[in-house]
């Protein structure tokens, strides 16, 4: 199900050290050029309006760095347990 969410409500499930700067820069360039980027996949959390990213960490990092406040995502599941995440919020 497609949904528009706040970038800052998305929680990464990867360590920041696992994020490739060159991939993030690639997506930043595409965002600046207004190119289509496939929606990141997220799971809705069971404790509020938070979303655990399952695919799209580089894209969300690029959106956050470009100052984009909301983004379209594909919700691929629900009741995600965010207590054991390894990443952080995108902001």
């Amino acid at each position: 199900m497609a949904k528009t969410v706040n970038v800052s409500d998305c929680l990464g499930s990867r360590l920041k050290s696992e994020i490739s700067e060159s991939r993030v820069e690639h997506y930043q360039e595409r965002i600046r050029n207004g190119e289509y980027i496939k929606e990141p996949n997220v799971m809705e959390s069971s404790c509020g309006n938070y979303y655990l990213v399952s695919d799209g960490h580089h894209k969300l990092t690029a959106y956050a760095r470009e100052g984009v406040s909301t983004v379209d995502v594909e919700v691929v599941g629900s009741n995600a347990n965010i207590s054991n995440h390894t990443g952080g919020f995108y902001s």
Side-chain angles (χ1 to χ4, degrees), residues 24-33 62 65-66:
V24 172
E25 290 168 2
H26 166 78
Y27 285 120
Q28 285 182 273
E29 178 91 13
R30 293 185 65 191
I31 291 166
R32 283 187 222 113
N33 291 335
R65 288 184 183 174
E66 288 299 309

Side-chain angles (χ1 to χ4, degrees), residues 4 8 14 32:
T4 301
S8 60
R14 287 192 179 175
R32 283 187 222 113

Side-chain angles (χ1 to χ4, degrees), residues 2-67:
K3 188 173 189 175
T4 301
V5 301
N6 291 322
V7 171
S8 60
D9 290 340
C10 294
L11 180 63
S13 58
R14 287 192 179 175
L15 295 171
K16 293 189 189 257
S17 62
E18 297 177 300
I19 300 296
S20 163
E21 285 300 316
S22 63
R23 285 187 70 193
V24 172
E25 290 168 2
H26 166 78
Y27 285 120
Q28 285 182 273
E29 178 91 13
R30 293 185 65 191
I31 291 166
R32 283 187 222 113
N33 291 335
E35 296 177 33
Y36 170 77
I37 299 174
K38 184 180 180 301
E39 296 86 359
N41 291 335
V42 299
M43 294 183 65
E44 274 185 296
S45 75
S46 56
C47 57
N49 270 349
Y50 297 108
Y51 303 89
L52 184 65
V53 180
S54 58
D55 181 39
H57 300 86
H58 294 91
K59 295 171 191 174
L60 281 166
T61 300
Y63 283 121
R65 288 184 183 174
E66 288 299 309

